[in-house]
Amino acid sequence: MRIGITGHTNLTDGAAEVIYSALVRHLRAFDGAEIVGVTCLADGADQLFARAVLEVGGSYEVVLPAPDYRLKVPAERRRDFDALLAGARVVLPTGERRSGAPAYVAANRIMLERVDRLVAVWDGHERDDPGGTSDVVALARIRGVPMTVIWPAGAERT
């Protein structure tokens, strides 16, 4: 079972805990399936998802938006990013040279092409943000990718 992730990056610390727990519960529902997560490894939901995939015994692939993407991760979280990137079974480049909306759109398109299902850690608010969570949700709907939205009680954005 190949499962992709899209979700908010700006989560409160308390939200991270409840979202992580919800992701683990969701992934455990696929009991018996070999889970391969596909993530862009963005701060927030993507990194929580990668950890949840490992928690349930799965592995993950990273679609790296651009070579400079690490610099978009907050400095205090780069060590976590580096460890998760090193733990990926595959790292796929998009071909984009610099991080930004075109690279994020490209990464999300590649991610959606590689998955059977999508998890969206999403508050449900539509935004005009190319490559952002609501953009990926809309594209998944157009493509007919089965999707589960996770936004548990206690989830908040900063």
Side-chain angles (χ1 to χ4, degrees), residues 48-122:
L48 293 171
F49 176 76
R51 288 186 190 98
V53 167
L54 292 175
E55 174 78 19
V56 301
S59 61
Y60 60 90
E61 300 174 353
V62 173
V63 180
L64 196 62
D68 67 347
Y69 187 63
R70 180 182 186 272
L71 299 176
K72 298 298 181 182
V73 176
E76 67 274 9
R77 300 214 177 148
R78 287 188 189 144
R79 181 176 288 173
D80 292 338
F81 174 86
D82 292 342
L84 289 168
L85 185 63
R89 71 187 236 174
V90 175
V91 177
L92 303 160
T94 62
E96 295 290 329
R97 297 179 52 147
R98 303 189 79 190
S99 292
Y104 306 151
V105 169
N108 287 318
R109 288 180 187 274
I110 292 168
M111 178 270 297
L112 285 174
E113 290 168 0
R114 299 181 64 80
V115 301
D116 305 307
R117 305 188 56 79
L118 179 69
V119 173
V121 176
W122 183 43

Side-chain angles (χ1 to χ4, degrees), residues 5-6 108 111-112 118 131-141 147:
I5 181 70
T6 188
N108 287 318
M111 178 270 297
L112 285 174
L118 179 69
T133 303
S134 61
D135 185 52
V136 179
V137 166
L139 184 56
R141 287 177 175 155
M147 179 174 35

Side-chain angles (χ1 to χ4, degrees), residues 13-15 24 28 33 36 52 60 87 112 148:
D13 289 339
V24 169
R28 284 195 174 134
V36 176
Y60 60 90
L112 285 174
T148 301

